[in-house]
Amino acid sequence: MKKNIVIFGHTGQLGRSLIKNFENNFKLNKNFTILKRRFNLQNITKIPKNSVIINCAAYTNVDQSEVNKDEANLINNLLVKETSLVCRKKNCLLIHFSSDYVFGGNKRGYTETDKLKPINYYGYTKLLGEKAIKETSCNHIIFRVSWLYSIYGTNFIKKIFQKIINNEKIMVVNDQYGSPTSCNLISKVLNKIIFDKNWYNKKKLYHLSSMGRTNWYNIAKFVIKYSKKKIKKNSSTLEATNSKKFKTIAKRPKNSYLISKKIQNELNHKINNWRYYMKDVLDELILVNEKKNR
Ligand SMILES: NC(=O)c1ccc[n+]([C@@H]2O[C@H](COP(=O)([O-])OP(=O)(O)OC[C@H]3O[C@@H](n4cnc5c(N)ncnc54)[C@H](OP(=O)(O)O)[C@@H]3O)[C@@H](O)[C@H]2O)c1
């Protein structure tokens, strides 16, 4: 019998990336049924027994989380707790995503056991979500990811790419360090986990990002250099700024580089430098742009 994979947050960038990847995977289609569900109490209660639950839903607007605290707490914490209670009762595996923003930013790089100290409300609710899952003690795998990007939704890489297309002036902070996580990397890792039953009864937390500590300015520089080689737009300019000049409602950690050695070792999956994954997404964006202009 086919096993159910319930995806919450299927309309978000990670949800859409996972679904695209899963739908293209013949082996997965043969063995699993993908159920896309909106993340709410009713659907959480209806989770089928023995399924794999992939929770991509979250309140991800970091600045608005400072304003809409109740909603951020509901999605990132309270509903996550409900999900983990149902998962325990129905013997499911919960795969959940947390954030680099659970850290305070005073270290160059963070491992899974480092001290947690969120400095904004979004990070605080993501930490509460992690704690709720651990306390419930359902089977779970939590991945802390950072600076997510894909061809879908809104993300930094797409914004820079669009500015190149529009020949705009680009200003980017150069004093926040971390590493971008491609949704394609997450898809590859989940693909391995889903096919290995040994992962179904674990209670684990991992960092999952690409190799190489960088900052937003350097990422923008790379996006511009790579894209300009392939598209005939080269009048956009890049200028560095810093967090003091570029004010936002929520504070961001200065450093949130996730060291992802643990998942590499335990899953035996090599993780490459961030440029490796970004090239693939840029190639896709360039292709979509070419088709638009034909
Ligand atoms: N984006 C990043 O840079 C980043 C960094 C670190 C960690 N993460 C984590 O990675 C995971 C995936 O992020 P993402 O970038 O794919 O997020 P996203 O694109 O913002 O998608 C969020 C998903 O959650 C759903 N959602 C939001 N508010 C909801 C509500 N009130 N009720 C029901 N569903 C709601 C959205 O549904 P609608 O489309 O209907 O709104 C959407 O499907 C999240 O756990 C996030 O915290 C993301």
Side-chain angles (χ1 to χ4, degrees), residues 9-14 38-39 56-58 60 71 75 97-100 122 126 145-148:
H10 60 282
T11 52
Q13 62 162 333
L14 178 58
R38 185 156 176 83
F39 194 47
C56 304
T60 54
E71 199 181 344
I75 309 300
F97 299 92
S98 186
S99 166
D100 53 327
Y122 166 78
K126 293 301 286 184
V145 299
S146 53
W147 305 7
L148 222 58

Side-chain angles (χ1 to χ4, degrees), residues 153 164 172:
I164 299 167
V172 181

Side-chain angles (χ1 to χ4, degrees), residues 47-280:
I47 288 172
K49 275 184 197 163
N50 304 315
S51 359
V52 175
I53 314 302
I54 305 180
N55 181 26
C56 304
Y59 191 94
T60 54
N61 190 322
V62 177
D63 289 318
Q64 281 310 303
S65 297
E66 302 292 328
V67 183
N68 299 326
K69 290 193 168 170
D70 286 349
E71 199 181 344
N73 187 46
L74 175 71
I75 309 300
N76 296 344
N77 172 31
L78 301 178
L79 287 185
V80 173
K81 182 172 185 171
E82 287 305 321
T83 310
S84 50
L85 286 168
V86 174
C87 280
R88 192 183 60 193
K89 204 164 121 197
K90 298 197 177 179
N91 192 35
C92 298
L93 167 69
L94 174 59
I95 299 178
H96 177 78
F97 299 92
S98 186
S99 166
D100 53 327
Y101 283 7
V102 296
F103 293 112
N106 295 325
K107 274 191 84 182
R108 272 183 70 84
Y110 286 94
T111 67
E112 287 80 354
T113 50
D114 275 322
K115 195 175 162 215
L116 303 163
K117 197 173 179 276
I119 59 168
N120 56 44
Y121 195 73
Y122 166 78
Y124 173 66
T125 59
K126 293 301 286 184
L127 176 56
L128 292 180
E130 284 186 10
K131 282 186 178 162
I133 295 172
K134 283 186 201 158
E135 277 163 20
T136 312
S137 200
C138 63
N139 290 328
H140 66 261
I141 304 169
I142 300 171
F143 289 108
R144 285 193 193 127
V145 299
S146 53
W147 305 7
L148 222 58
Y149 69 97
S150 70
I151 59 160
Y152 301 114
T154 315
N155 58 63
F156 179 79
I157 280 67
K158 282 183 75 179
K159 279 185 194 161
I160 298 295
F161 186 78
Q162 196 51 51
K163 283 180 188 285
I164 299 167
I165 301 291
N166 299 342
N167 285 323
E168 282 175 48
K169 182 178 168 189
I170 304 167
M171 289 238 318
V172 181
V173 293
N174 63 2
D175 59 351
Q176 288 170 24
Y177 288 84
S179 176
T181 310
S182 167
C183 290
N184 292 338
L185 166 63
I186 300 177
S187 297
K188 280 181 193 144
V189 165
L190 292 201
N191 212 37
K192 268 191 166 174
I193 285 176
I194 286 167
F195 281 108
D196 184 350
K197 290 201 170 54
N198 292 320
W199 283 85
Y200 284 24
N201 54 9
K202 294 206 191 269
K203 295 174 177 55
K204 293 272 196 172
L205 181 142
Y206 297 100
H207 287 179
L208 177 55
S209 193
S210 45
M211 293 295 134
R213 181 178 177 271
T214 185
N215 64 45
W216 293 112
Y217 177 79
N218 282 335
I219 294 174
K221 210 159 107 180
F222 175 77
V223 172
I224 293 169
K225 197 173 165 199
Y226 189 81
S227 307
K228 276 186 177 175
K229 260 196 266 168
K230 306 210 172 190
I231 54 174
K232 291 179 190 69
K233 297 271 180 185
N234 46 27
S235 64
S236 57
T237 53
L238 176 65
E239 204 179 297
T241 183
N242 59 49
S243 310
K244 273 197 187 132
K245 288 187 194 148
F246 191 83
K247 289 262 183 260
T248 50
I249 301 173
K251 273 200 233 162
R252 265 78 172 165
K254 285 265 184 247
N255 294 285
S256 61
Y257 177 56
L258 300 174
I259 298 166
S260 306
K261 279 194 185 136
K262 187 177 160 194
I263 187 68
Q264 276 208 94
N265 295 341
E266 293 187 19
L267 188 66
N268 193 19
H269 184 89
K270 184 180 181 311
I271 298 181
N272 295 300
N273 181 273
W274 59 270
R275 292 179 188 82
Y276 171 90
Y277 303 101
M278 205 165 284
K279 281 179 186 170
D280 281 351

